Amino acid sequence: MGDDAARRNHPQLPHNQVLVLSTDVLPQSGSKCYDDDGRLKQSGTVWTASAHIITAVIGSGVLSLAWATAQLGWIAGPAVMLLFSFATYYTSTLLVACYPSGDPVNGKRNYTYMDAVRKNLGGFKAMICGGAQYLNLLGVAIGYTIASSISMMAIKRSNCFHAGGTENTCHMNSKPYMIAFGVAEIIFSQIPDFDQIWWLSIVVAGMSFTYLTIGFGLVIAKVAETGKIRGSLTGLSVGTVTEAQKIWRSFQALGDMAFAYSYSLSLIEIQNTPRAPPAESKTMKKAILLSVGVTTLFYMLCGCMGYAAFGDLSPRNLLTDFGFYNPFWLHDIANAAIVIHLVGAYQVYCQPLFAFVEKITAEKFPDSEFITKDIKIPIPGFRPYNLNLFRLVWRTAFVVVTTLISMPRPLSDDIVGLLGALGFWPLTIYFPIEMYISRKKIPNWSTRWICLQILNIAFLIISIAAALGSIAQVITDLKSFKLFSTAY
């Protein structure tokens, strides 16, 4: 009873946090253990926040950037990547500035993206934001399940090619690999909250640099082997493809690049993890600069050097579409690193969705022990693990459902571009800009307001073009798509 009373009196605390307190000894704001909102103080730093961001930003989508650059060419390809990088960095700094309400240092914190939108723009736009955010998170979970199975199959296929030659068909079923990924996610999803997965983000960030470094090394070796820098100023030429295909592919390349930079949907939740002081916004601005700078460098290197190595024939994925067959063991290490990365990235993206459902459920059924009670499970040498039955059932069910949806293996490459197009503009551009304008009370038609709206409208147009390109490709591929085909 004491735990439940304490929890109800402190709604900012996650429902799965066990409090060894009586009802008349509640945490006082400003104490050693609790911040001025009555929430347990966090222990994160610039480095852990950067690891979370890198985990969220760098995904397997980076390996499609060579293909995207091939559609746009040497001028537009790097320019668009730099444009996305600048826009992501700038609007991310606007978003983290909206974390506290009122005073930048002592204002009440907004612990979720929806909370920030609700406080600054009202309930209706918060509902729109929540729908966009959580549908996108669901789509990312499905996409990562598919991508992980492709990388696991790529390992087996490269070994098959090594044993029997590249003419060997090496067909296989993706279902066992999706199930294996789902089992891993069921286990990791029981980590209670975002602050406790910092170690996983650090491991995953290391995996990101591993497969990116290998991919970069392989394309450098390819350029050295041929002695040529391939590609053209305008990208894939009309003649190799029709004029219509050139347009749609260029649009789809924009979607791939947008997906590669889509991480703002988890940024506010990441901002919950650093300790204060200093103010979380100051820590996050440093983390954003560091992480976006590092990822942009890797993106430019992989995208441009991949295009230099393969030109118009750049594969859709450098490490799974077999731009490289040898050395097969290095190819295997890179794909294994991708799988490990996706295991952690799945958690970074899904933790906000997990927390949202659990918070709403706890508020609706505060007296249900199934939902609110934690069971302490002793672990020798470690702190006891707090097992929450609702968390166990709900998160397991979520992973099972996303795995089952993934099993028909929908058109993953096209979905990546479509997700990037649909999620990038509202969550990365529109809401941060509108919240910042509202928070700073920037007058309409002032110079600053006009500049922000130009940025807003420009990326809306880019996102619409990217969505159209992805939809056109989906329609094309559906003509030969078999619902229950799982062969690779």
Side-chain angles (χ1 to χ4, degrees):
M1 282 296 295
D3 291 356
D4 292 339
R7 191 178 297 113
R8 288 194 294 273
N9 281 277
H10 288 268
Q12 294 298 335
L13 292 171
H15 76 271
N16 52 12
Q17 179 64 52
V18 175
L19 301 176
V20 187
L21 298 167
S22 64
T23 54
D24 58 342
V25 185
L26 296 173
Q28 301 297 315
S29 58
S31 72
K32 280 187 177 182
C33 297
Y34 297 89
D35 61 26
D36 47 11
D37 283 346
R39 183 193 67 155
L40 280 172
K41 287 185 176 179
Q42 305 302 301
S43 58
T45 64
V46 169
W47 299 106
T48 59
S50 298
H52 285 316
I53 295 172
I54 289 171
T55 299
V57 177
I58 299 181
S60 60
V62 65
L63 299 172
S64 69
L65 291 179
W67 180 89
T69 305
Q71 312 312 307
L72 300 174
W74 278 117
I75 296 177
V80 171
M81 271 193 280
L82 289 175
L83 178 63
F84 274 110
S85 175
F86 165 76
T88 300
Y89 168 74
Y90 179 67
T91 57
S92 294
T93 61
L94 302 185
L95 181 57
V96 297
C98 298
Y99 181 66
S101 298
D103 184 78
V105 177
N106 300 315
K108 180 177 172 59
R109 297 168 180 85
N110 295 302
Y111 290 106
T112 68
Y113 201 143
M114 280 184 69
D115 288 344
V117 174
R118 183 180 294 108
K119 184 66 178 179
N120 290 280
L121 301 177
F124 178 72
K125 288 190 176 180
M127 290 175 60
I128 295 174
C129 170
Q133 184 184 15
Y134 297 124
L135 281 174
N136 206 263
L137 290 173
L138 176 63
V140 168
I142 295 168
Y144 279 7
T145 302
I146 296 168
S148 68
S149 71
I150 292 173
S151 286
M152 284 187 275
M153 288 189 295
I155 294 173
K156 186 172 181 180
R157 197 178 182 196
S158 75
N159 292 326
C160 177
F161 284 160
H162 180 69
T166 58
E167 300 302 320
N168 195 350
T169 54
C170 302
H171 291 301
M172 60 198 70
N173 193 313
S174 63
K175 285 183 180 178
Y177 301 97
M178 290 184 180
I179 292 171
F181 183 80
V183 170
E185 293 306 338
I186 287 173
I187 295 170
F188 282 108
S189 68
Q190 299 310 312
I191 298 174
D193 57 50
F194 221 132
D195 189 51
Q196 296 181 39
I197 64 171
W198 61 268
W199 60 272
L200 184 59
S201 287
I202 291 174
V203 171
V204 169
M207 293 299 101
S208 301
F209 293 131
T210 297
Y211 69 74
L212 285 176
T213 302
I214 292 173
F216 179 62
L218 289 172
V219 295
I220 288 289
K222 184 74 172 180
V223 171
E225 178 187 339
T226 60
K228 296 179 181 179
I229 295 179
R230 303 179 187 274
S232 64
L233 294 180
T234 57
L236 194 64
S237 58
V238 176
T240 306
V241 293
T242 66
E243 189 171 340
Q245 287 175 324
K246 169 70 174 177
I247 294 172
W248 294 126
R249 284 187 172 211
S250 297
F251 287 173
Q252 196 176 1
L254 296 177
D256 285 2
M257 291 183 178
F259 183 81
Y261 280 101
S262 293
Y263 75 98
S264 294
L265 65 170
S266 298
L267 191 59
I268 291 291
E269 285 76 9
I270 293 173
Q271 194 166 354
N272 292 334
T273 63
R275 59 173 172 252
E280 293 92 339
S281 58
K282 290 185 178 180
T283 301
M284 289 300 293
K285 285 179 180 178
K286 293 178 182 178
I288 291 167
L289 179 61
L290 173 63
S291 54
V292 173
V294 168
T295 54
T296 300
L297 174 63
F298 273 94
Y299 282 9
M300 293 292 289
L301 289 175
C302 284
C304 294
M305 291 307 301
Y307 183 40
F310 294 101
D312 289 351
L313 299 178
S314 295
R316 192 64 194 270
N317 185 306
L318 284 176
L319 295 174
T320 63
D321 287 348
F322 292 87
F324 307 99
Y325 292 96
N326 287 300
F328 79 99
W329 57 269
L330 193 59
H331 176 275
D332 291 353
I333 291 173
N335 276 291
I338 291 174
V339 173
I340 296 171
H341 170 92
L342 292 172
V343 168
Y346 186 106
Q347 293 302 315
V348 170
Y349 273 106
C350 290
Q351 281 289 340
L353 178 57
F354 293 157
F356 172 74
V357 171
E358 289 157 19
K359 177 185 174 184
I360 295 298
T361 308
E363 289 174 353
K364 190 171 182 62
F365 304 102
D367 298 319
S368 171
E369 290 191 354
F370 173 73
I371 293 172
T372 60
K373 184 179 179 180
D374 289 334
I375 302 170
K376 284 185 176 292
I377 299 178
I379 302 176
F382 297 91
R383 291 183 299 175
Y385 175 74
N386 297 322
L387 175 66
N388 180 275
L389 293 178
F390 176 73
R391 181 176 69 229
L392 175 64
V393 173
W394 140 242
R395 296 189 182 190
T396 299
F398 175 86
V399 175
V400 169
V401 169
T402 55
T403 303
L404 289 174
I405 293 173
S406 304
M407 279 188 174
R409 209 181 142 201
L411 311 164
S412 55
D413 289 333
D414 304 331
I415 289 172
V416 164
L418 189 56
L419 282 174
L422 295 177
F424 184 82
W425 176 74
L427 297 171
T428 303
I429 304 295
Y430 174 76
F431 284 117
I433 286 177
E434 291 301 310
M435 283 194 290
Y436 187 76
I437 289 173
S438 174
R439 180 180 174 82
K440 295 296 183 180
K441 296 180 171 57
I442 299 174
N444 290 354
W445 304 108
S446 63
T447 301
R448 195 172 192 183
W449 184 90
I450 290 172
C451 291
L452 288 171
Q453 294 301 342
I454 288 174
L455 178 65
N456 197 357
I457 294 170
F459 275 90
L460 172 61
I461 294 170
I462 290 173
S463 294
I464 291 173
L468 291 174
S470 296
I471 291 170
Q473 189 61 41
V474 167
I475 292 171
T476 299
D477 290 347
L478 276 174
K479 295 175 182 178
S480 59
F481 177 63
K482 295 180 181 179
L483 180 60
F484 295 103
S485 174
T486 55
Y488 178 60

